[in-house]
Amino acid sequence: MSGPNLDQLGTRSPEIYGRQTLAEHVARFSELAAARGFSVRHLQSNFEGDLIEAVHGANGTAVAIVLNAGALTHSSWALADALGAFDGVKVEVHLSNPAAREPFRHVSTLAGVVNGTIAGFGATSYELAVEAVQRLLATS
Ligand code: DQA
């Protein structure tokens, strides 16, 4: 799942987020996931409620959620509550390293309800997330 403004990747602050589009990240992620036997559903939305409803819909229909919530990471207790009620594996992903940026990015409402966070590796963050999901499912 991809939150607000991630549909702008490719042209949005490329010095921070790189030049790859969201479609390119999702294609690579899906390719790696398929090689491990997983199929991927992807939703990008600029609206918090869409993401919350997608989390609700994942309950019982998905084994894992990989989520880059964009700036909702730093503000959305509602998304955190929804994720907290999802009973599968949850991995928070960021292209940049929010801890090394502005103070408002140092807080993640999601950090306490996910299995773990992968941040700061650019496009590789998504690739590492596939690996994390596979390993977490193998041990859960
Ligand atoms: C981001 C980091 C967030 O702080 C920011 O609001 C984003 C992108 C990242 O992938 O680095 O939209 O989640």
Side-chain angles (χ1 to χ4, degrees), residues 8-136:
Q8 302 301 305
L9 288 176
T11 54
R12 174 192 177 203
S13 306
E15 69 286 1
I16 297 173
Y17 300 119
R19 294 206 175 273
Q20 283 175 266
T21 64
L22 182 60
E24 289 168 337
H25 290 302
V26 173
R28 177 72 178 139
F29 182 90
S30 301
E31 178 189 21
L32 292 173
R36 290 165 167 78
F38 300 114
S39 63
V40 174
R41 299 200 304 261
H42 175 248
L43 169 80
Q44 187 279 327
S45 180
N46 295 321
F47 300 96
E48 184 176 14
D50 287 347
L51 297 166
I52 290 168
E53 290 188 350
V55 173
H56 296 169
N59 251 319
T61 68
V63 293
I65 294 175
V66 174
L67 170 69
N68 183 346
L72 289 175
T73 303
H74 317 301
S75 65
S76 180
W77 294 106
L79 186 54
D81 273 354
L83 279 172
F86 174 73
D87 55 10
V89 160
K90 291 159 270 191
V91 178
E92 178 184 345
V93 172
H94 301 285
L95 291 159
S96 68
N97 177 4
R101 299 180 62 197
E102 305 96 313
F104 79 88
R105 297 185 203 276
H106 298 180
V107 172
S108 168
T109 62
L110 313 180
V113 297
V114 295
N115 294 85
T117 301
I118 300 169
F121 302 101
T124 304
S125 290
Y126 287 107
E127 300 187 5
L128 294 171
V130 177
E131 183 73 22
V133 165
Q134 184 182 35
R135 290 183 184 225
L136 285 163

